[in-house]
Amino acid sequence: DAMVIQNPRYQVTQFGKPVTLSCSQTLNHNVMYWYQQKSSQAPKLLFHYYDKDFNNEADTPDNFQSRRPNTSFCFLDIRSPGLGDAAMYLCATSRDEGGYSPLHFGNGTRLTVT
Amino acid sequence: GESVGLHLPTLSVQEGDNSIINCAYSNSASDYFIWYKQESGKGPQFIIDIRSNMDKRQGQRVTVLLNKTVKHLSLQIAATQPGDSAVYFCAENIWHGSSNTGKLIFGQGTTLQVKP
């Protein structure tokens, strides 16, 4: 049973053309995360939501934005994708247990920029 | 087989042998650690976790050891099987005070190859 669902699995966009990746969850977790994972590298945290509170990582480019309209859904917007933004984008959720709850990941969206 | 050091990218073991994957973490204040398994084309999958008030925790065929003195974490897999072939990541939880929750920072992965 899929609990963190990312759509689409594969996304191709053109250089500079805005793109949105989506994530939904059936776990009712209040924390949602977006990670970027480039080939043969570890996932890198971009930002996270604690309920509706948005928390950006200091080194996340302004080109990356996020929206969380409700508990179940979270979106990653890339305003002007560059070739360097080609990567796997992973969404994850966790319960609020003071930081002692594992993250549950979706299977990611692989973004190609042409 | 055993990986040594944080940046050894690949560990190759014989099916049925035990595997040891090592990881050094960076933040002495980190108090929660997780091992993830990532298969090709999939998201990371939770294997086992450990809090800093413990030094050992066992699961099914897996054991995590934590040495806070040297900031070292290891994952032991008993009787390694072909289905264990994947990339393994350690992750440390860093408290994010302004959001009152933790955020997980991943170390570099180790690719485990199981030879039949």
Side-chain angles (χ1 to χ4, degrees):
Chain A
D1 292 338
M3 294 178 289
V4 182
I5 304 160
Q6 292 189 243
N7 283 307
R9 288 297 310 277
Y10 302 92
Q11 176 73 58
V12 180
T13 191
Q14 292 177 335
F15 182 94
K17 184 174 181 181
V19 65
T20 294
L21 310 181
S22 71
C23 176
S24 64
Q25 57 138 334
T26 59
L27 297 164
N28 203 34
H29 285 172
N30 59 337
V31 192
M32 293 187 79
Y33 306 79
W34 280 103
Y35 282 81
Q36 179 193 61
Q37 186 177 26
K38 295 190 176 181
S39 182
S40 302
Q41 295 185 20
K44 178 181 180 296
L45 182 63
L46 295 174
F47 25 60
H48 74 277
Y49 274 95
Y50 184 101
D51 292 325
K52 290 188 175 183
D53 293 333
F54 177 72
N55 299 275
N56 202 28
E57 291 302 295
D59 58 354
T60 298
D62 292 340
N63 197 26
F64 291 86
Q65 304 285 320
S66 186
R67 295 170 284 133
R68 189 180 186 186
N70 54 53
T71 300
S72 300
F73 287 88
C74 196
F75 300 98
L76 171 62
D77 300 309
I78 308 176
R79 293 191 297 187
S80 183
L83 297 179
D85 296 328
M88 174 80 87
Y89 289 89
L90 296 162
C91 174
T93 72
S94 72
R95 288 192 303 248
D96 168 26
E97 288 189 343
Y100 299 116
S101 178
L103 272 62
H104 299 260
F105 284 86
N107 280 327
T109 293
R110 182 165 296 281
L111 178 68
T112 300
V113 182
T114 61
Chain B
E2 182 172 355
S3 72
V4 177
L6 182 60
H7 297 292
L8 190 72
T10 302
L11 174 66
S12 186
V13 300
Q14 203 70 38
E15 181 179 357
D17 286 353
N18 296 333
S19 302
I20 300 174
I21 301 172
N22 295 301
C23 177
Y25 62 92
S26 59
N27 192 331
S28 57
S30 296
D31 59 359
Y32 178 55
F33 305 89
I34 308 175
W35 280 100
Y36 282 91
K37 171 186 180 183
Q38 188 174 26
E39 297 174 287
S40 180
K42 295 186 177 180
Q45 176 187 359
F46 171 84
I47 302 173
I48 192 167
D49 58 0
I50 188 168
R51 292 198 187 189
S52 59
N53 60 354
M54 304 173 69
D55 53 19
K56 180 179 180 179
R57 191 163 188 226
Q58 288 184 293
Q60 186 176 11
R61 280 202 308 119
V62 295
T63 300
V64 56
L65 299 178
L66 175 63
N67 184 331
K68 294 181 288 293
T69 302
V70 295
K71 293 190 288 185
H72 183 269
L73 197 64
S74 69
L75 176 70
Q76 300 177 0
I77 304 173
T80 312
Q81 302 169 359
D84 295 327
S85 295
V87 179
Y88 290 80
F89 291 100
C90 66
E92 60 184 305
N93 184 69
I94 296 175
W95 183 251
H96 192 269
S98 62
S99 69
N100 202 34
T101 189
K103 57 181 185 179
L104 212 59
I105 304 301
F106 283 77
Q108 293 306 308
T110 296
T111 300
L112 177 65
Q113 295 177 342
V114 181
K115 297 178 288 187

